[in-house]
Amino acid sequence: MRQLLSVEGLEDNFRFLVMEVSKQLAETERRLAEPSEVSIDAVISRDDFIDNLKATIETKAYASIRDLDNDDQQTINRIRAVNTITSNLERLADFAVNIVSQTEYLRDPAFIRRYDYPAYFRVIGDAVDLIEPALLDLNIAQALKICRTEFRLDNMYKHSFDHILAELRTGRDTENLVTSLFIIRYFERMGDALLNIGEAIISAALGEKLKIDQYEALEESLEAADLGSDMSDMTLDAIWETKSGCRIGRLRDHSGMSRTGRGVIFKDGRAAKLRAEKESIDRWNALIPGLTPRVLDFHERGADATILLENLPARTFQEYLLDRDSNLFETAFETLLSTLGSIWNDTRSDEPSAARFVRQLQRRIEDVYKVHPEFQRRESSIGSLESPSFDAMLERAAALDDQLVSPFSVLVHGDFNIDNVMYDAEKQQIYLIDLHRSRQFDYCQDISVFLVSIFRQPIFEPELRRRINGVALRFLEWSREFAVTNKDTSFEARLTVGLVRSMMTSTRFQLHYKFANAMYLRAVFLLEKLIARESRDWATFRLPDDVLIY
Amino acid sequence: MASQKSDFRHESLQDRQTIVRYLNALSEGIASGRLVLGTREEEIVLEPEGLLKLDVKARQKSDEAKVTFKISWKSNGHGDSPIKGPLSISSEKAD
C-alpha cells in the first residue's frame, strides 16, 4: 500500500486531502462557536481547494488502474478504495460548507450550543483521524471503528431531533430550531460518508465487496461463542478460498490470542454448504471424536450462513510435504496413514458404493475446456492406428465405470486434498478440515483426490520433486495393501478412473500449460488403458504407477 | 554414462526401403529399452523407461513434405532432470 500510494505522489495528495478536510471541520466548529472569527469566504475557498485535490487524486487513480495488469487485482482494489474514500471526504467537506452557510440563518448564534455540537465534531474528527492509518495498513479493526461512527451519529441525531421536535411544538424559536435541525442533519449525513469510507477500506483489505452487515454477522457469532465480543481487538488475518463460494477468515486478537487461547476461523457463505459442513463435523465427532475442529457457533439467515470454527494449532500436510528442511514430514505421513486406516476400518460398512468418477468428470468437463480448449481433442489416425476424440473416450469409459462398484463403503472426507489435512506435531494428531462433501462412499474417491493433490504441486526442482513423487508412490502402495486386505478386486480399475477424473479437473486451476498438459496426457493414457481392457476382468488390471511420477 | 556424448545427429539421403530399416532399428531399441546411437569415437545410450511422450507432426507444402516423430521422457523415473535433445527421426521427400 505504501509503495502504491507513493507512486506519482498519490500518497502525498491523499494525506493532504485528509488534512484539509480535518481543517475544514475544525474551522466549521470554530464558526459555530465564534461566528465572528471565521468568514464564510474562507471556508468556501478551502472547499475549492479540496475539490481540486479530489480531481487530482481521481485522475491519478484512474491512470494507475489503466496502466496496471489485470492480474494485479489487489492493487486495483486498493486504488479503488482511495477513489471511494476521496469522493466521500469531499462530501464531508461539502457538508461542512453547508453547515457554515446555515449559521447565517441563526438569529441567535449561541442557539446551536443547546445540541452539544462539539460532541458531533469529536466523533467525526476521531473517525477522520483513523482514515489514513486504516487505509495504509489495511487495518480492518480501525476501518470498523470508522464504520461504527455512522451508528453513533445516527443515535446522536435521533436524540437531538426528538429534542428539537418537542421544542418546535411550543411554537417558540421556530427559525432557530429549524436551522439547528438542518445543521444537525448534516452531521448525520457525514456519518453516511464515513460508513462508505470504512467499507471501502474493508473491501480493499479483503479484496472483494463486503458490507458492514457481514461483519455484524461475524460479531454476532463471536458474541454467541463467548470468545470476546469486541471486534476492535480482533484482526481478520486474511480472507482466502473464494472459489468454493465461501469466504473464510482467520481471526486473531491483538493480545496474541491470550483471551481465547487460540484464534477462530470464520466462514460466511451459502447456507446449504455450510450446513452440510456443520452436519459432517457433527457426524465425524460422533464417530471419531477429536479429528475435526470444533464448531463454536453456527448461524443461518435465509440463504446465507456463518460458521465459527476452532482454529487448530496445526499446519497443513501440504506445508509439511513442501518444507524440505522439516524432519517432521515422516511422522506426519505415518500418523496420517494410521489415522486413515483407523477411519476406514471403523466406518467400513458392507453397503456397496459406485463413485461414477467419469460421470463426475463429464459434469465438469466444460469448465476444463473453457480453460484449455485444446484438451477437447478430436479423433485422429496415424496409418492404421486410430485414436478416438476425448469426449468419445469419456463416453466409453463411462460405460465401463458404470459397472465398477466398490464392494464396501467408508466415511470419506469428500475433498481429501493435502491442504485439507492438518497435523499438530506436538500432539502427533491429524485433523481434517472442509468436510462439507463428506459421506459414506467409495474410498477410491479420497485416494485419487489425495494422490492428484500431491502430483499437481507445481514443484520442478529435482530433489523436492523426487520426494513428492516418492510420497505419492508410498501412499499408493499403502492404499493397495488396504484394498488387498479387504478383498477389493476392482480397486485398481476404480482408482484409475478416479485419477482420470482428478487429473482432468485439476487442469482447470493450472495455467502453466506444460504442467496442465502433463496431467491431461496422463488422463488420456489411463483412459486408453481402461478402454483397451475389453475383457472387463478388473481383478488383473493394474494402475500404471508411472502416471504419479513427474 | 561417463564417456557418453549428450548429442547425436545423423543426416543422409535414403530410399523408402532403407528408411524402413532405420525405423526397425529404432523400434527394436525402444522395445528392448536400450537404444545405442554412435559414431566410431563416441556413442550415446538411451534407455527409454516410464511414460514416453510421443509427439507426431506432419506437414505438406507444395514442394515439400515432412513427418516428425518425437519421443521424449524423463531420464529418471523419480524425477531427475529431463534429458534434452530428444531422439527424432524425420523423413523428407521432394515432390
Side-chain angles (χ1 to χ4, degrees), chain B residues 33-75:
Chain B
R34 186 177 162 82
L35 187 59
V36 185
L37 309 106
T39 60
R40 191 175 302 185
E41 294 82 33
E42 285 174 296
E43 64 180 25
I44 171 169
V45 181
L46 297 181
E47 293 178 332
E49 59 168 351
L51 294 179
L52 314 183
K53 185 172 171 186
L54 175 66
D55 196 356
V56 182
K57 285 183 189 161
R59 185 157 72 167
Q60 182 142 43
K61 292 201 284 192
S62 58
D63 60 345
E64 189 186 55
K66 177 168 160 176
V67 58
T68 315
F69 252 71
K70 187 162 104 176
I71 303 161
S72 54
W73 62 93
K74 302 252 177 187
S75 66

Side-chain angles (χ1 to χ4, degrees), chain A residues 174-329:
Chain A
T174 313
E175 215 163 318
N176 280 329
L177 285 167
V178 169
T179 304
S180 298
L181 183 59
F182 276 134
I183 290 174
I184 289 161
R185 170 76 177 150
Y186 284 119
F187 291 133
E188 188 268 339
R189 295 183 65 185
M190 285 184 178
D192 298 339
L194 288 166
L195 177 64
N196 293 339
I197 289 172
E199 286 183 344
I201 296 171
I202 292 173
S203 294
L206 304 181
E208 60 185 291
K209 281 275 173 205
L210 200 87
K211 289 291 175 191
I212 186 69
D213 291 0
Q214 287 164 306
Y215 272 86
E216 297 300 316
L218 168 55
E219 203 176 34
E220 195 182 318
S221 292
L222 284 168
E223 277 168 19
D226 198 25
L227 281 167
S229 56
D230 188 3
M231 271 292 294
S232 62
D233 281 350
M234 305 292 272
T235 309
L236 194 64
D237 264 1
I239 292 255
W240 68 92
E241 179 73 54
T242 50
K243 74 183 179 214
S244 61
C246 274
R247 267 179 291 270
I248 304 174
R250 183 169 52 210
L251 287 165
R252 203 160 38 85
D253 63 36
H254 290 318
S255 50
M257 299 188 187
S258 62
R259 182 165 35 178
T260 59
R262 52 179 57 165
V264 290
I265 301 275
F266 171 75
K267 295 194 197 184
D268 172 69
R270 285 187 301 113
K273 184 179 169 175
L274 291 178
R275 199 187 314 114
E277 175 156 11
K278 182 189 178 291
E279 284 165 3
S280 282
I281 289 176
D282 290 345
R283 190 142 56 110
W284 279 84
N285 264 328
L287 285 166
I288 314 163
L291 264 184
T292 63
R294 284 183 303 136
V295 177
L296 301 171
D297 184 58
F298 178 75
H299 277 294
E300 258 187 80
R301 290 167 292 139
D304 298 314
T306 58
I307 193 168
L308 201 61
L309 297 165
E310 169 188 28
N311 183 31
L312 301 162
R315 294 164 70 204
T316 66
F317 189 75
Q318 179 177 26
E319 289 173 75
Y320 284 104
L321 177 66
L322 301 185
D323 182 357
R324 72 198 76 203
D325 300 322
S326 171
N327 47 13
L328 294 169
F329 174 75

Side-chain angles (χ1 to χ4, degrees), chain A residues 346-519:
Chain A
D346 292 352
T347 63
R348 194 198 130 125
S349 81
D350 289 334
E351 190 72 30
S353 175
R356 304 259 191 278
F357 291 113
V358 181
R359 303 287 178 205
Q360 290 182 29
L361 172 57
Q362 283 175 318
R363 281 195 295 272
R364 292 182 189 177
I365 197 69
E366 288 305 324
D367 293 339
V368 173
Y369 292 155
K370 266 182 218 155
V371 182
H372 302 290
E374 63 283 3
F375 290 174
Q376 192 165 19
R377 192 172 80 168
R378 283 177 295 185
E379 68 213 49
S380 65
S381 63
I382 296 175
S384 56
L385 277 178
E386 290 184 5
S387 42
S389 71
F390 189 77
D391 287 328
M393 275 196 287
L394 276 188
E395 216 24 74
R396 286 168 69 177
L400 295 176
D401 189 28
D402 287 344
Q403 314 295 317
L404 287 169
V405 176
S406 173
F408 58 89
S409 51
V410 303
L411 182 58
V412 301
H413 178 287
D415 190 13
F416 199 48
N417 287 306
I418 54 175
D419 56 357
N420 279 336
V421 177
M422 304 190 84
Y423 178 66
D424 178 349
E426 217 166 282
K427 292 187 188 157
Q428 301 203 0
Q429 161 82 48
I430 290 284
Y431 296 100
L432 304 177
I433 58 169
D434 267 1
L435 287 156
H436 63 276
R437 294 207 191 105
S438 175
R439 61 206 183 283
Q440 200 70 19
F441 207 63
D442 181 355
Y443 61 116
C444 283
Q445 173 92 24
D446 276 2
I447 298 172
S448 54
V449 168
F450 193 78
L451 286 171
V452 172
S453 75
I454 294 173
F455 181 88
R456 70 166 180 235
Q457 296 304 310
I459 302 291
F460 309 112
E461 182 263 304
E463 200 180 328
L464 192 53
R465 189 72 223 181
R466 223 179 350 253
R467 170 174 173 172
I468 291 170
N469 290 340
V471 170
L473 290 178
R474 280 164 67 195
F475 189 78
L476 172 64
E477 270 319 303
W478 176 85
S479 307
R480 276 186 171 132
E481 280 170 33
F482 183 88
V484 169
T485 310
N486 286 275
K487 301 186 172 55
D488 178 359
T489 53
S490 62
F491 170 79
E492 299 270 340
R494 293 190 337 269
L495 181 57
T496 301
V497 198
L499 289 175
V500 168
R501 166 203 173 274
S502 293
M503 286 279 186
M504 276 309 286
T505 54
S506 290
T507 62
R508 283 179 299 167
F509 308 117
Q510 183 53 260
L511 298 177
H512 180 316
Y513 176 75
K514 196 176 161 210
F515 198 38
N517 193 46
M519 289 190 257

